[in-house]
Amino acid sequence: MSDTNRRGLLVILSSPSGAGKSTLSRMLLDWDATLRFSVSATTRAPRRGEEDGREYFFKTKEEFEALVQSGGMLEHAQVFGNYYGSPLAPVEKAITAGRDILFDIDWQGGQQIRGSVLQRDVVSIFILPPSIKELERRLTSRGQDSAEVVAGRMAQAKSEISHWAEYDFVLINDNLEECFERLKTVFQAARLRRDARPELMSHVQMLNQEFEDLL
Ligand code: ADP
Ligand code: 5GP
């Protein structure tokens, strides 16, 4: 939704790696062409098929640190031994233009954004896997990470899941289509939140004027 009468929402999706947040993000972005994706910067190496500027901005450690030093990051964190962060400028641009922006970030990034001046614009959603066995199956079947990387991500999953209760909404990604339906419901409801809709003030003023005119 692009509407200068409203402020854009910051939609944060977090989950243990492999629970399905990239898949669900892509589905939501395909479903709503006005929704922007916050392309993170990272020092991790590109996976097969990933393009610089589309999935991530791939940076060296030095480049990443310079971005942080210059105040260019809304949040940043170390995840699985690499730096990841959300560039600030596109976020500011999106929300002042009334565009919603989607973040696929870990719990540390979620905490930082919720603690920032933008906190009133945030809707946060945590995705849980149906089981740990299925989480491991998904990480392995994605077929893009070595056994060692998969093991490292499984080792971190418990700690990521321990932050589930910090989020506004929690979805269990068992059946993908059903989970996506619930995600759309959350997103549509969040767009109706009073805080995101300054235009309501003038609508209520108009209603009050009509009351006056009735007298
Ligand atoms: P994340 O972004 O959380 O690391 P992905 O979206 O990459 O996770 O999903 C990991 C793997 O699991 C992918 O191969 C994806 O196609 C698959 N997947 C995602 N959701 C489901 C689901 N509900 N049922 C079965 N497989 C799924
Ligand atoms: P992956 O390497 O699988 O793409 O991502 C690994 C983890 O880093 C995921 O949990 C993902 O959500 C998280 N991540 C991606 N971008 C960012 C970011 O900009 N900031 C933070 N804090 N985490 C991120």
Side-chain angles (χ1 to χ4, degrees):
M1 196 182 292
S2 169
D3 179 350
T4 46
N5 283 324
R6 67 188 282 275
R7 284 173 67 81
L9 289 171
L10 277 62
V11 183
I12 300 179
L13 270 189
S14 299
S15 79
S17 182
K21 65 192 168 316
S22 308
T23 307
L24 288 161
S25 296
R26 273 195 298 275
M27 291 169 82
L28 200 62
L29 290 160
D30 285 347
W31 176 72
D32 183 344
T34 69
L35 179 63
R36 293 282 171 271
F37 180 61
S38 169
V39 180
S40 298
T42 182
T43 59
R44 90 148 157 72
R47 289 192 186 120
R48 199 174 349 107
E50 285 183 336
E51 248 177 53
D52 189 39
R54 190 179 63 187
E55 283 80 10
Y56 284 104
F57 295 108
F58 295 100
K59 304 282 178 199
T60 64
K61 193 163 172 272
E62 292 69 30
E63 287 168 340
F64 192 97
E65 284 168 349
L67 269 170
V68 173
Q69 287 303 317
S70 65
M73 291 297 199
L74 170 59
E75 62 75 31
H76 69 281
Q78 244 190 6
V79 191
F80 310 128
N82 284 301
Y83 286 125
Y84 291 80
S86 310
L88 178 59
V91 178
E92 286 179 327
K93 198 172 151 204
I95 55 171
T96 53
R99 282 190 189 282
D100 304 322
I101 184 159
L102 179 68
F103 295 79
D104 171 340
I105 60 178
D106 84 329
W107 67 270
Q108 302 174 86
Q111 269 190 1
Q112 288 174 47
I113 297 179
R114 279 195 303 271
S116 78
V117 292
L118 299 174
Q119 58 181 270
R120 74 189 177 97
D121 302 311
V122 169
V123 55
S124 61
I125 305 157
F126 198 87
I127 312 287
L128 286 170
S131 68
I132 298 307
K133 208 171 158 199
E134 172 63 8
L135 181 70
E136 186 166 31
R137 192 199 64 74
R138 288 184 194 170
L139 273 173
T140 310
S141 72
R142 186 162 65 186
Q144 293 197 318
D145 297 306
S146 65
E148 196 187 341
V149 167
V150 169
R153 289 178 177 227
M154 282 302 290
Q156 283 295 314
K158 192 170 183 196
S159 130
E160 181 79 34
I161 288 174
S162 73
H163 294 277
W164 70 277
E166 296 165 19
Y167 286 71
D168 299 323
F169 296 91
V170 180
L171 306 177
I172 300 173
N173 181 18
D174 191 346
N175 176 287
L176 184 59
E177 287 305 326
E178 284 173 18
C179 188
F180 180 53
E181 286 304 313
R182 293 192 293 268
L183 177 60
K184 283 194 292 190
T185 302
V186 166
F187 181 48
Q188 286 170 313
R191 280 180 157 172
L192 295 175
R193 256 179 11 192
R194 180 172 42 82
D195 278 359
R197 302 176 61 206
E199 86 283 3
L200 286 178
M201 191 58 88
S202 62
H203 185 73
V204 174
Q205 277 165 357
M206 185 272 287
L207 294 178
N208 283 333
Q209 185 59 53
E210 282 194 53
F211 275 127
E212 296 286 315
D213 296 345
L214 285 177
L215 297 175

